[in-house]
Amino acid sequence: GGPGWRLPGRVLELGFSYLELRELRSCALVCKLWHRVLHGDENSEVWRSLAARCLAEEALRTDILCNVPTYKGKVRAFHHAFSTNDCSRNVYIKKNGFTLHRNPIAQSTDGARTKIGFSEGRHAWEVWWEGPLGTVAVIGIATKRAAMQCQGYVALLGSDDQSWGWNLVDNNLLHNGEVNGSFPQCNNAPKYQIGERIRVILDMEDKTLAFERGYEFLGVAFRGLPKVCLYPAVSAVYGNTEVTLVYLGKPLDG
């Protein structure tokens, strides 16, 4: 290894702070020192400057990312946010990079998937509605093949065998066009309140999808998920409603 291998960590950090994520991934494979400099401190100058470059100021300034404590986590959340190319034509992703806005289009149900899906590991993300729910407001997961737009006001997420959803309006679980029971399974479960953050937990090892409200575990909603790539997704019907999704990483309990 040339002199670059033995540079002090601070100097390496400064150099790394000019690189983009793809280049940083390559650098992390070079040697243990480079890997340690990049991944040892999730609030290092490297991640701080990358966050400043790729995240909208609004996302860093408001409480959208308040449950993502590190700059590396914030960068990761951005790369796992809603895709601007993989959503209904009747929605757009706001400048903050994390919030979907549904345009006021009559007789249409509109959804969006995230940029990255999962076929292994355990993953958690938060979803919350910032406008009226309307008659159907569904959160859950979908394969790449699930439709993200359809006619009428329907529970799009869960309408076929390619998606699984929880309708926050009537607390029904939906898959393959059928209601899979109500959720959470308790008498008089409280209805969703606007702005409430729901945590979604996907476990590709156990093949389960579970939900939390606040810090209360609501239980497993779906079991026996297929071993395919599954994407966080939502579907909405109400004009000008807004939904925010933030990827959190691995669930805290493991």
Side-chain angles (χ1 to χ4, degrees), residues 14-15 23 50 60 102 126 132 167 214 217 224 233 236 253:
L14 202 62
E23 298 158 332
L50 191 55
L60 293 170
R102 184 194 176 275
E126 287 181 329
N167 183 6
F217 184 69
D253 61 1

Side-chain angles (χ1 to χ4, degrees), residues 86-125:
D86 195 9
C87 55
S88 162
R89 63 181 179 272
N90 298 325
V91 306
Y92 64 86
I93 311 306
K94 292 178 74 179
K95 278 206 188 87
N96 66 31
F98 295 91
T99 303
L100 165 159
H101 181 103
R102 184 194 176 275
N103 290 324
I105 306 289
Q107 291 301 321
S108 176
T109 300
D110 305 284
R113 263 182 293 257
T114 55
K115 300 171 204 162
I116 298 173
F118 311 108
S119 48
E120 57 186 27
R122 298 179 71 230
H123 306 274
W125 60 93

Side-chain angles (χ1 to χ4, degrees), residues 82 86-87 111-119 125 138-149 155-166 174-176 200 202 204 209 211 222 225-235 245:
F82 282 129
D86 195 9
C87 55
R113 263 182 293 257
T114 55
K115 300 171 204 162
I116 298 173
F118 311 108
S119 48
W125 60 93
V138 191
I139 63 175
I141 49 174
T143 70
K144 202 71 170 167
R145 286 165 54 197
M148 286 292 117
Q149 194 272 330
L156 179 57
L157 212 59
S159 64
D160 61 13
D161 63 354
Q162 300 297 309
S163 56
W164 296 256
W166 175 25
L174 308 157
H175 175 59
N176 212 7
V200 190
L202 174 66
M204 290 306 288
L209 188 72
F211 296 96
F222 294 101
L225 296 172
K227 198 76 172 143
V228 295
C229 193
L230 296 169
Y231 294 75
V234 303
S235 70
L245 185 150

Side-chain angles (χ1 to χ4, degrees), residues 70-82:
T70 69
Y71 281 100
K72 182 184 176 184
K74 293 178 203 300
V75 169
R76 183 175 56 209
F78 175 72
H79 283 274
H80 282 272
F82 282 129

Side-chain angles (χ1 to χ4, degrees), residues 11-230:
V11 177
L12 282 171
E13 205 178 288
L14 202 62
F16 289 152
S17 68
Y18 289 96
L19 303 180
E20 296 306 316
L21 190 62
R22 194 179 292 118
E23 298 158 332
L24 291 174
R25 282 192 183 124
S26 305
C27 290
L29 302 174
V30 169
C31 67
K32 280 182 181 163
L33 170 64
W34 283 31
H35 187 276
R36 195 164 63 243
V37 168
L38 279 172
H39 296 295
D41 177 7
E42 296 206 351
N43 279 316
S44 70
E45 189 54 45
V46 179
W47 298 110
R48 202 177 285 257
S49 61
L50 191 55
R53 290 202 302 280
C54 73
L55 285 144
E57 195 186 328
E58 185 193 335
L60 293 170
R61 202 181 62 240
T62 60
D63 67 350
I64 287 175
L65 298 172
C66 67
N67 290 331
V68 185
T70 69
Y71 281 100
K72 182 184 176 184
K74 293 178 203 300
V75 169
R76 183 175 56 209
F78 175 72
H79 283 274
H80 282 272
F82 282 129
S83 168
T84 52
N85 308 317
D86 195 9
C87 55
S88 162
R89 63 181 179 272
N90 298 325
V91 306
Y92 64 86
I93 311 306
K94 292 178 74 179
K95 278 206 188 87
N96 66 31
F98 295 91
T99 303
L100 165 159
H101 181 103
R102 184 194 176 275
N103 290 324
I105 306 289
Q107 291 301 321
S108 176
T109 300
D110 305 284
R113 263 182 293 257
T114 55
K115 300 171 204 162
I116 298 173
F118 311 108
S119 48
E120 57 186 27
R122 298 179 71 230
H123 306 274
W125 60 93
E126 287 181 329
V127 188
W128 65 97
W129 238 261
E130 298 186 44
L133 298 178
T135 49
V136 205
V138 191
I139 63 175
I141 49 174
T143 70
K144 202 71 170 167
R145 286 165 54 197
M148 286 292 117
Q149 194 272 330
C150 71
Q151 285 296 107
Y153 300 133
V154 299
L156 179 57
L157 212 59
S159 64
D160 61 13
D161 63 354
Q162 300 297 309
S163 56
W164 296 256
W166 175 25
N167 183 6
L168 299 176
V169 177
D170 60 14
N171 280 345
N172 280 340
L173 293 177
L174 308 157
H175 175 59
N176 212 7
E178 294 168 359
V179 173
N180 278 27
S182 61
F183 185 84
Q185 285 177 329
C186 60
N187 291 332
N188 301 322
K191 281 285 199 304
Y192 177 81
Q193 303 298 312
I194 296 299
E196 213 173 11
R197 295 186 182 213
I198 299 285
R199 192 164 292 197
V200 190
I201 301 154
L202 174 66
D203 188 330
M204 290 306 288
E205 310 314 310
D206 280 354
K207 302 184 179 60
T208 58
L209 188 72
F211 296 96
E212 286 178 6
R213 178 172 20 220
Y215 288 95
E216 180 196 357
F217 184 69
L218 299 177
V220 171
F222 294 101
R223 299 180 188 276
L225 296 172
K227 198 76 172 143
V228 295
C229 193
L230 296 169

